[in-house]
Amino acid sequence: MNQREAEVLNLIKENPFISQSELSKKLGLTASSVSRIVAELVHKEFIQGQAYVLNEEFPIVCVGAANIDKKFFVHQTLIHGTSNPIDSAHSVGGVVRNIAENLGRLGQNVALITTRGDDAEWLKVKEASEAYINLDFTEIIEGKNTGAYTALINREGEMEYGFADMSIYDEFTPEVLIRQTYILKRAKCIVADLNVPKVTLEFLTAYAEKHDIKLVFIPVSGPKMNRLPDYLEPVDWLIVNRDETETEFNMEIKTDDDLIKGARLWNARGVSNVVVTNGSKSLAYSSNDYEKIYPIKQSTRVVDVTGAGDSFSSAVIYGWLNGYNIDDCIELGMVNSTKTIETDYTVRQDLSEQQLKLDLEAYKNESIN
């Protein structure tokens, strides 16, 4: 037993009904770190978890991809058919894993369900993620590699090409979720990306409706929109981009009015809250009783746009779950996205609950002035 485990164990002995929030405050740790320590104490049989587990906070459960991201940066005009000098970088990624890390850095209790290999790539994902995300509910798929995503970034910081090695997520069947119903039942919110099969997302939708669990879907790309369940009534939030909306409704979006129209079409399918993004131009929010176009403030310090959407989605989810109004939720997302693309990281390293609040305050002051 290490020192942190001993500290947690002593506090639980003093008060078997102590919550993870109280443990976090007393020890100065994130909720996800406390959750991981408690899971280890249960595994080592120092505690059975009976009184304590009944009083654990309900986590945000993220379902989907956790990958290794490889980025190739082209600093000159890209010339097809020949060799191009590049710089390269490797990091961890996956849409829902990125969202989970953002939320963990924002002090939220987060658990990840994903399929993964038993390989060196997963060890890299684990090392970068475990401080912010509970990884106890991941499932090893024998004979498969951990997912990998490769992006080619041009000199303007925009992605030129993306290559996805994601066959391991074909093994993400409903049975994987059924084996993890302990944590699913405790979820205060489920966030899922579309890297998993449609039948799995349909199971998740039905499960969330049956157990009255908040549900958020984050699409990944136009080609994967066919994985979205047909029945969307239980979906609280859908954060989707223009291309994905055009694909779904066989429409063309050219104006802000078109963007709102696309958002309304998702509402008509049953989704309560919809955001349709349009790159760096604008985004539309729509619900049954409120809609608005939000202009995007252009950054002059763009380094890498990878992770922009994930950072936006995570901050919106954070705001929603913590009682912010819709305008503030959207602005939290825009601020976090802007701050992320101004770094070399897919998840900004300075992110915290306090920092995001300061960022939002600065954003509002700039808007007034």
Side-chain angles (χ1 to χ4, degrees):
M1 182 189 303
N2 61 39
Q3 181 181 348
R4 280 302 193 189
E5 290 171 349
E7 291 172 346
V8 170
L9 183 59
N10 287 334
L11 289 172
I12 292 173
K13 285 179 179 179
E14 292 173 7
N15 177 12
F17 295 92
I18 192 170
S19 70
Q20 284 194 9
S21 177
E22 290 174 292
L23 285 170
S24 298
K25 291 176 182 177
K26 286 180 178 291
L27 297 172
L29 298 173
T30 64
S32 57
S33 295
V34 170
S35 177
R36 180 165 46 84
I37 292 170
V38 170
E40 190 63 25
L41 288 171
V42 173
H43 176 70
K44 293 178 179 179
E45 299 184 352
F46 286 107
I47 58 175
Q48 293 181 350
Q50 294 171 353
Y52 180 73
V53 167
L54 289 172
N55 289 276
E56 282 186 330
E57 285 190 359
F58 294 89
I60 302 170
V61 176
C62 293
V63 177
N67 309 322
I68 289 293
D69 281 348
K70 304 173 184 179
K71 300 176 186 177
F72 299 137
F73 299 92
V74 181
H75 298 299
Q76 300 176 1
T77 301
L78 185 64
I79 303 174
H80 295 274
T82 188
S83 177
N84 291 269
I86 64 165
D87 290 327
S88 63
H90 296 73
S91 61
V92 297
V95 169
V96 91
R97 193 224 67 90
N98 291 344
I99 291 172
E101 183 181 336
N102 272 276
L103 289 168
R105 287 178 179 272
L106 288 169
Q108 307 304 290
N109 183 4
V110 187
L112 175 69
I113 303 177
T114 191
T115 50
R116 50 112 170 165
D118 186 14
D119 51 19
E121 284 73 18
W122 174 253
L123 291 179
K124 294 175 185 176
V125 174
K126 181 176 184 290
E127 181 180 358
S129 307
E130 61 183 354
Y132 309 101
I133 308 167
N134 185 339
L135 302 174
D136 292 341
F137 306 98
T138 61
E139 179 151 329
I140 298 172
I141 305 298
E142 298 293 340
K144 289 284 188 176
N145 298 323
T146 296
Y149 179 79
T150 302
L152 183 64
I153 311 298
N154 64 27
R155 60 180 181 176
E156 286 78 33
E158 300 285 343
M159 184 177 70
E160 193 82 21
Y161 295 103
F163 306 96
D165 179 6
M166 304 288 186
S167 63
I168 194 168
Y169 303 118
D170 295 337
E171 309 295 329
F172 203 138
T173 62
E175 286 72 25
V176 172
L177 293 177
I178 290 169
R179 286 190 285 273
Q180 304 296 352
T181 52
Y182 164 77
I183 195 66
L184 281 178
K185 284 181 181 178
R186 301 190 63 79
K188 68 177 178 182
C189 178
I190 297 172
V191 182
D193 68 29
L194 268 58
N195 279 306
V196 301
K198 180 174 182 175
V199 64
T200 305
L201 295 170
E202 289 175 334
F203 171 87
L204 200 59
T205 304
Y207 191 91
E209 183 176 45
K210 179 179 179 180
H211 295 279
D212 195 25
I213 300 170
K214 294 180 175 67
L215 181 61
V216 179
F217 277 151
I218 310 293
V220 176
S221 63
K224 292 186 178 179
M225 290 302 293
N226 59 7
R227 300 183 179 187
L228 196 68
D230 298 322
Y231 178 59
L232 297 177
E233 289 286 343
V235 179
D236 293 281
W237 280 83
L238 179 71
I239 301 175
V240 65
N241 67 29
R242 182 199 67 199
D243 294 341
E244 293 156 352
T245 301
E246 289 178 331
T247 298
E248 182 69 18
F249 297 110
N250 192 28
M251 65 183 295
E252 190 173 10
I253 295 176
K254 291 184 175 181
T255 67
D256 286 344
D257 286 342
D258 294 335
L259 213 58
I260 284 287
K261 180 182 177 182
R264 288 197 203 112
L265 289 172
W266 287 115
N267 292 138
R269 287 274 305 275
V271 182
S272 299
N273 301 277
V274 178
V275 172
V276 181
T277 62
N278 189 18
S280 60
K281 296 179 181 178
S282 59
L283 63 86
Y285 168 84
S286 178
S287 66
N288 289 330
D289 54 11
Y290 184 63
E291 63 183 40
K292 185 175 178 178
I293 290 289
Y294 295 84
I296 305 295
K297 291 184 179 180
Q298 302 298 314
S299 172
T300 59
R301 302 188 297 275
V302 175
V303 176
D304 181 3
V305 298
T306 309
D310 305 337
S311 56
F312 172 83
S313 298
S314 58
V316 170
I317 294 166
Y318 163 82
W320 172 54
L321 292 177
N322 284 277
Y324 285 73
N325 63 45
I326 290 299
D327 286 340
D328 282 351
C329 287
I330 300 301
E331 289 176 357
L332 281 169
M334 292 192 295
V335 165
N336 198 36
S337 180
T338 298
K339 294 294 183 180
T340 299
I341 66 175
E342 293 175 350
T343 75
D344 290 315
Y345 298 94
T346 304
V347 179
R348 56 188 282 216
Q349 303 296 286
D350 67 338
L351 181 60
S352 68
E353 195 168 18
Q354 181 61 30
Q355 184 59 56
L356 188 61
K357 290 177 180 178
L358 291 173
D359 293 338
L360 179 62
E361 183 179 348
Y363 177 89
K364 288 180 177 294
N365 290 336
E366 288 175 9
S367 298
I368 293 172
N369 298 330

